[in-house]
Amino acid sequence: MKYLKKHFTALLIIISISFSSFSQKVNNAEIKRLENLAKSVTIIRDNWGIAHVYGKTDADAVFGMLYAQCEDDFKRVEMNYIEKLGRLSEIKGQAVLYNDLEIKLLIDIEEAKADYKKAAPWLKKLLNSYADGINFYLHKHPEVKPALLTHFEPWFPLLWTDGSIGAISTANLSTGELKAFYSGNNDKVAYIEREKDVQTGSNGFAIAPSKTASGNAILYINPHTTFYFRPEIQMSSEEGLNAYGAVTWGQFFIYQGFNESCGWMHTSSNVDVADMYAEKIVSKNKKLFYEYDGKLVPVIEKMITIKYLENGKLIPKTFKTYYTNHGPIMAKRDGKWISLKSNNRSMKSLEQSWVRTKSKGFEDYKKVMDLKANTSNNTVYADKEGNIAYWHGNFVPIRDKKLNWSKVMDGSTSATQWKGLHKVSETVHSYNPINGWLQNCNSTPYSVAGENSPKKENYLPYMAPDGESFRGLNAVRLLSKGTDYTLDKVIADGYDTKLTAFEFLIPALLSSFEKNVNKNDKTYSETAEAIDILRKWDYYANENSVATTIAVEWAYKLDPIIQKVYTDEGELDQVENTLAFAKNVKAEQMIPQLQLVLNELKVKFGKWQIPWGEINRFQRTSGAIDLVYDDAKESLPIGYGPALWGSLPAYKSSYQKETKKRYGFNGNSFVCAVEFGAKIKAKSLLAGGNSGNPKSKHFYDQAEMYREGKFKDVLFYKEDVQKNAERTYHPGE
């Protein structure tokens, strides 16, 4: 026995040594492969730190693009995939446990892996290069310590396939309902609810040749996102790729941008792409079934284990989850289990996201739209042939037109099933309208071209439940009278700061004040000066405007119904709600709120006469994802107002913990105007700078420009990039 044990131990040592040597050889071979791949990729950083990536193949360009993204902000690349893997709890603890469960219910990792295995060769090459680029970066930068992901897999991008910041569609189901269902309402663990009524969005304008000074089409790209959510980048190859624009951290396609032939801008869509179903659950022989067309069908049960961080240790928590033919059970309402039918990830969506970046014109782009896989975006389009176009959504299921699909459907009958997808020609769209312009500001498509817009009566309600917004009103007002557009003129319209909502709210306040406040009242003496300032105000936000401060602070204290920006079928939109409020408002709904604002400002600053730029600030002091703001540190005054009230340049700010001032964190981020002529002309701007490293000169080099709305010239052609090159290198050098 001793003899056997001795020799068995020796055998294990030999095997271990052999395996170690084999692993080392494989590792060395892999490194050699990546180093050879890197030699075929060139990255040129221009004088703004923007990466221009050149490769022989598309896959080369993807490799270089992901490497460059990691150089600029690896932590954001990693965090996006930690979230989509449903693993946030492993670094943030129980506070996000049910957010992870929601992701795992809606985005199936095993399906993503299966899609990778069956992907077309061209797509698999891109997916492999995505992983190679990040993993090579981590190999070359051992000083970088990932929060969780030390190795990236090529199927990761198949978890997040359309680029949108709000790509998760859950109909009207909340994370709170999910927690209540799967915890039995006894779990004290918190969660972070998704914001539905977000006071930001995006703006896209397309101007036809008939309205431009040069006779070329112009596209205005203005996504409103969390600051630093997307960097600016260019990727080119010898396989026909040459795209410039904004890429969402960790994705391998230009999400909003342009190539030599055409450009695309996405705004968030409210098209109905996810539906709720009430299931009839039956327990039989200790097993669960659901009724469907008169038959009992077994409920699918899946065990999902999520690990959460607690006191330095990972604690596993296992959930028994349930599915019907519609999708996962997400809630319980009126005693019934509610399932969700959605399309939150698909390989076809990822294919569409890539293929559109190589479109050569209008017909090409229409073929891309025929893939019908973009679930969360509207599209504003322009090209070098002078075409402009708009599509409201892209993935639109065919449904029974007699039903209101914003409600919970009966899950027990096939009558409520989707019947395939609508053809693009059947969905709301506009091609080359005679007025010569198109706009969308997260608003109804029925004002996209002013009087020449698609007509609501020609489309089914679920195709466009979106209401009008104050930004939409502002955009239509400007574009309706605009002519001889240049890049600078389009940018000027895009930076119109009129807070259109106050055209309705302020007159109602003035009228109420005059009717209800006596000159001898204390209320009069406390508010008369502010009322006079608001009476003389032109409704434009700017740094020196005291009226802007009063109005913005006051509006947030009014009835919350006027902040409701996303609507379901049959509901009034934000503009309609505001008009109704202003028409029927009582003095006690307006005047005490004004007094409260003035008092709050006096407590904070010793007086209420505070210019908007004094409290509305831009500050970037670190590269952290969750920034901490400090009144004592350097910051810049910002004159732009909230998109919620109609400002086209969006600047969402709020008071932070232990600050007297408001600090911006969302709104104008990457902004670009591009003209499609014989040669591309474009100008762009970023919030702060392109690098997430505070030590980089490109961390804050666009901050003052951001404050002023002053754009830089885009370097699209390689010869121009080389003339302004700051650094030229291969990945890894």
Side-chain angles (χ1 to χ4, degrees), residues 205-208 210-211 388 430 433-439 447-453 475-482 485:
F205 305 159
I207 315 294
S210 62
K211 293 288 184 178
I388 62 172
S430 179
I434 59 173
N435 54 291
W437 54 265
L438 290 162
Q439 65 80 30
S447 65
V448 70
E451 295 178 355
N452 302 106
S453 302
V476 169
R477 173 183 65 84
L478 292 163
L479 294 170
S480 294
K481 62 184 182 182
Y485 276 106

Side-chain angles (χ1 to χ4, degrees), residues 78-192:
E78 182 190 16
M79 190 57 69
N80 280 340
Y81 286 97
I82 292 174
E83 179 188 1
K84 290 300 182 288
L85 285 161
R87 298 181 64 184
L88 276 175
S89 300
E90 294 181 41
I91 59 174
K92 295 190 175 183
Q94 289 192 71
V96 291
L97 184 66
Y98 288 95
N99 299 88
D100 279 348
L101 178 60
E102 182 177 70
I103 288 291
K104 286 182 176 290
L105 285 168
L106 299 177
I107 298 178
D108 192 302
I109 286 175
E110 296 307 315
E111 288 180 2
K113 291 177 179 178
D115 276 351
Y116 170 73
K117 290 179 180 178
K118 66 184 181 184
W122 68 266
L123 179 58
K124 190 168 284 188
K125 287 179 182 178
L126 302 183
L127 292 166
N128 290 340
S129 283
Y130 150 88
D132 284 344
I134 302 175
N135 292 328
F136 187 57
Y137 169 81
L138 290 174
H139 166 69
K140 285 291 186 178
H141 295 82
E143 75 281 2
V144 173
K145 305 300 179 186
L148 186 64
L149 304 178
T150 57
H151 185 81
F152 283 68
E153 299 292 343
W155 49 266
F156 281 8
L158 286 160
L159 300 171
W160 190 17
T161 52
D162 79 350
S164 173
I165 191 171
I168 300 299
S169 301
T170 64
N172 284 325
L173 294 167
S174 70
T175 315
E177 288 179 293
L178 180 78
K179 178 200 165 188
F181 182 84
Y182 281 108
S183 73
N185 241 351
N186 298 319
D187 197 332
K188 295 181 180 180
V189 174
Y191 58 91
I192 299 172

Side-chain angles (χ1 to χ4, degrees), residues 48-65:
W48 296 102
I50 309 300
H52 303 259
V53 182
Y54 303 93
K56 185 175 180 64
T57 66
D58 289 352
D60 293 341
V62 167
F63 177 90
M65 181 210 213

